[in-house]
Amino acid sequence: MSSRKNESGRPENAAPRFARRNFLKTSTVAAAAGASLLAAAPAAAQDRAQAPPTDTGGRGRRYVIRGGAVMSMDPKVGDFEVADVLVEGKNIAAVGRKVNAPGADVIDARGRIVMPGFVDTHHHLFETAERAFLANGLLLDDGSGSPSAFPNYGQHILQGFARVYRPQDVYINELFAGLSQLDAGVTTVLDVSQIHHSPEHTDAAIQALIDTGRRAAFGFFEGDGRAGARYPEDARRIRDRWFSSDDQLVSMVMGGELHLGREVYTRSWAIARELDVKIAAHSVGSWGMRPVFDDVAEGIGGVQVGPDNLFIHMTGMSDQTWKRFRDAGAQVSLAVPIEMVMRHGTPPILKMQELGMEPSLSSDVETTMAADPFTLMRSAMSMQRMVVNQMVLDQGEGVPPTNWPTPAKGTPELLNVRDVLRYGTIVGAEHLGLGGRTGTLTPGKQADIVLLDATALNVAPLNSVPGAVVSLMDRTNVETVIVAGEVRKWRGRLLNVDLSRLRRELEASRDHLFKAAGIRRDLFAYS
Ligand SMILES: [Zn+2]
């Protein structure tokens, strides 16, 4: 093709825009409609701007989400090309075709995909002020002198920014990150907040999770260990003050990092079990953690692994440790994009398949990657398929007639869109001990629901519901978000938040953190 430009700067062989419009105008269809196909939106589309139902999520409050393509993620409930979801109070009351709901308000879901909200099982919400600061960054300096080695996560985030957080920084960072994920359809998160320098830092994090108004597991991890820090013993106070009731959106998980040493982790695990909360821990081979995980798996680390353990990453772990963790009923969260980019090691999806385990998905850090569920699902599926597809190709000679081999017996199955949708919803809910409350559209569970716009320019025409969500959609398609029956995002806009004010507060926090950490702000450096 010619790359010569004409006077208007448009390549000569490109059709000018007016010519295209004339073509559409004179086409049979447009002529029959009597109007240009490029005219403004018809009135019917504007009707969708109506106000949301009021008092949603309140006791006895009923509304029905009508006419959407419903993907329940519960095999017993099934999928429907067109169906209704009745919400009563906080709960899903019914799912099915033509649900009879006299007197209930109606949310018109025609052209929308209705499915459970997404679950992220590992996100460091406090790091929002450093978004994209480490877009190239590795976990640690590898001595290469490259822009990936410096700045890096160990020196600049954990040893740099994290140390200068004040409680008010924790609050605004966590709130902003939470609202951003709510906007993207993530209705449940495990907040791995390693910022507990003092009880005031801890309380700020929990308050932010509550104020966000979505489901969250607050992860009580360590801080920087300064005088006044009370990890892990403060867990008892936290439990009493914040988590005395089970009937609330925010619950508790204990951070039980093994790299803190046996003296600390034996205490944190014991306290977690005394309080009956789950234990989460990072497990990264390239961080040097394989030997200590081997000891724990073998039962000589002073703690016993059980079904209340959620391990994050599990890159580079020994086969024996994997088997023992699986046999003990432990779960694993994978942060696939981060693991690939920051040199944690290859995400162990194939290992989990081999052992009959399913991972939940997690975003980890926005210093380096977006925290929306579409990025997580697509990355997991693409990464696994890259490995397996090459495995299959390598079973041939690369030239006819063996250039397209039939997979040999024992070749891992390709992940499909249903797999990653399950990882991103119900598997995540189960890993956080919330499988009885969320993760599927099941009558009796709480109503954590997203409406995704399948009429949008990047999606229409709708040919596959699971396919469209995983292959085509992004956060712009997340139109309406409901948490425990309450509408939190309505037709593209978060409700009851002053985002301009919150952004100014986050920027002020960011300015403080860079200054106090002695790190220069430069919009074009570090890349
Ligand atoms: Zn992490």
Side-chain angles (χ1 to χ4, degrees):
M1 284 177 104
S2 163
S3 60
R4 283 173 58 206
K5 305 274 174 67
N6 60 21
E7 278 179 12
S8 69
R10 186 180 287 126
E12 283 181 351
N13 55 356
R17 282 193 200 150
F18 64 85
R20 173 116 187 112
R21 188 174 300 145
N22 285 344
F23 164 74
L24 289 169
K25 267 188 177 166
T26 55
S27 73
T28 323
V29 173
S36 167
L37 293 180
L38 301 176
Q46 289 161 5
D47 288 345
R48 297 190 57 77
Q50 70 182 65
T54 53
D55 305 325
T56 50
R59 181 183 286 272
R61 183 74 173 84
R62 295 165 87 232
Y63 60 92
V64 62
I65 303 164
R66 225 182 254 299
V70 176
M71 179 162 62
S72 74
M73 300 306 299
D74 179 346
K76 291 195 184 109
V77 174
D79 301 320
F80 303 86
E81 291 204 356
V82 181
D84 307 330
V85 178
L86 177 64
V87 176
E88 185 166 330
K90 295 179 191 304
N91 295 330
I92 296 168
V95 180
R97 290 186 189 87
K98 299 237 164 36
V99 169
N100 192 20
D105 273 352
V106 174
I107 292 178
D108 180 2
R110 286 175 297 174
R112 272 70 198 162
I113 291 168
V114 181
M115 66 171 287
F118 294 97
V119 181
D120 177 347
T121 53
H122 152 231
H123 183 8
H124 302 260
L125 296 172
F126 75 91
E127 294 172 6
T128 314
E130 299 100 58
R131 274 177 162 171
F133 173 75
L134 279 184
N136 291 312
L138 293 170
L139 277 175
L140 303 168
D141 189 349
D142 67 358
S144 65
S146 76
S148 303
F150 194 93
N152 59 70
Y153 193 77
Q155 276 170 277
H156 291 81
I157 305 296
L158 295 183
Q159 302 298 322
F161 290 112
R163 289 180 182 276
V164 296
Y165 270 68
R166 306 159 298 179
Q168 65 263 41
D169 298 309
V170 174
Y171 179 82
I172 187 61
N173 278 259
E174 296 232 0
L175 181 65
F176 208 86
L179 291 171
S180 170
Q181 276 204 314
L182 191 57
D183 186 65
V186 182
T187 51
T188 302
V189 73
L190 167 58
D191 172 32
V192 179
S193 42
Q194 297 158 308
I195 197 70
H196 302 292
H197 306 328
S198 73
E200 290 73 30
H201 287 76
T202 300
D203 292 345
I206 300 167
Q207 190 65 58
L209 295 177
I210 291 170
D211 291 352
T212 303
R214 68 169 170 162
R215 202 173 303 281
F218 160 73
F220 182 45
F221 284 70
E222 72 284 2
D224 63 1
R226 69 183 63 169
R230 288 165 59 188
Y231 175 86
E233 279 72 21
D234 202 30
R236 297 190 185 92
R237 176 194 71 88
I238 295 165
R239 170 82 176 195
D240 288 348
R241 170 163 182 199
W242 296 98
F243 303 107
S244 54
S245 162
D246 283 339
D247 183 27
Q248 51 190 45
L249 279 179
V250 183
S251 55
M252 181 173 174
V253 164
M254 188 77 185
E257 300 286 23
L258 299 188
H259 64 255
L260 297 176
R262 185 172 179 150
E263 197 275 319
V264 176
Y265 74 68
T266 50
R267 273 161 45 214
S268 65
W269 285 41
I271 292 169
R273 283 166 175 167
E274 167 199 322
L275 300 178
D276 193 23
V277 296
K278 292 199 68 151
I279 302 164
H282 291 86
S283 163
V284 187
S286 61
W287 200 282
M289 287 155 67
R290 179 170 168 163
V292 63
F293 275 81
D294 282 345
D295 283 353
V296 166
E298 276 184 51
I300 56 172
V303 285
Q304 211 62 45
V305 176
D308 57 350
N309 285 109
L310 175 63
F311 295 111
I312 298 161
H313 303 307
M314 284 291 284
T315 47
M317 294 296 126
S318 67
D319 288 351
Q320 191 174 311
T321 288
W322 267 107
K323 281 205 190 72
R324 290 199 159 136
F325 280 12
R326 191 270 314 267
D327 293 345
Q331 296 106 39
V332 175
S333 168
L334 298 184
V336 173
I338 291 294
E339 288 150 10
M340 293 195 292
V341 166
M342 298 183 82
R343 203 176 286 169
H344 293 59
T346 301
I349 293 183
L350 292 182
K351 172 56 74 179
M352 296 189 73
Q353 272 185 286
E354 179 194 321
L355 294 172
M357 300 171 78
E358 295 208 316
S360 52
L361 302 180
S362 58
S363 60
D364 204 348
V365 287
E366 281 185 300
T367 59
T368 310
M369 193 66 71
D372 67 275
F374 308 98
T375 297
L376 301 185
M377 291 189 293
R378 276 199 279 275
S379 299
M381 188 165 151
S382 303
M383 177 260 145
Q384 194 266 5
R385 284 183 164 233
M386 180 196 77
V387 174
V388 175
N389 283 335
Q390 192 60 47
M391 205 182 276
V392 173
L393 292 174
D394 288 346
Q395 291 165 9
E397 300 293 321
V399 291
T402 62
N403 55 304
W404 192 256
T406 297
K409 199 163 180 289
T411 305
E413 280 190 33
L414 291 169
L415 278 197
N416 64 44
V417 292
R418 289 272 189 185
D419 294 325
V420 293
L421 282 165
R422 204 167 53 250
Y423 300 168
T425 55
I426 180 61
V427 176
E430 285 169 351
H431 286 189
L432 299 182
L434 297 170
R437 289 202 178 180
T438 189
T440 60
L441 301 185
T442 304
K445 281 197 187 183
Q446 298 211 341
D448 294 351
I449 303 172
V450 293
L451 273 64
L452 309 174
D453 183 4
T455 69
L457 198 54
N458 61 328
V459 179
L462 182 60
N463 293 313
S464 160
V465 169
V469 176
V470 175
S471 309
L472 297 176
M473 285 191 168
D474 58 46
R475 62 184 299 144
T476 64
N477 301 110
V478 181
E479 194 179 68
T480 295
V481 179
I482 297 165
V483 179
E486 184 181 350
V487 177
R488 294 290 290 110
K489 182 182 185 183
W490 177 251
R491 301 203 168 147
R493 197 171 54 84
L494 281 179
L495 298 178
N496 305 320
V497 289
D498 182 348
L499 288 181
S500 306
R501 184 173 67 80
L502 296 179
R503 186 171 57 246
R504 283 195 300 276
E505 288 180 21
L506 179 65
E507 285 165 351
S509 169
R510 185 266 318 267
D511 292 348
H512 158 75
L513 293 167
F514 272 79
K515 191 155 178 264
I519 295 171
R520 187 168 56 95
R521 273 193 61 218
D522 181 335
L523 296 185
F524 291 94
Y526 315 118
S527 60

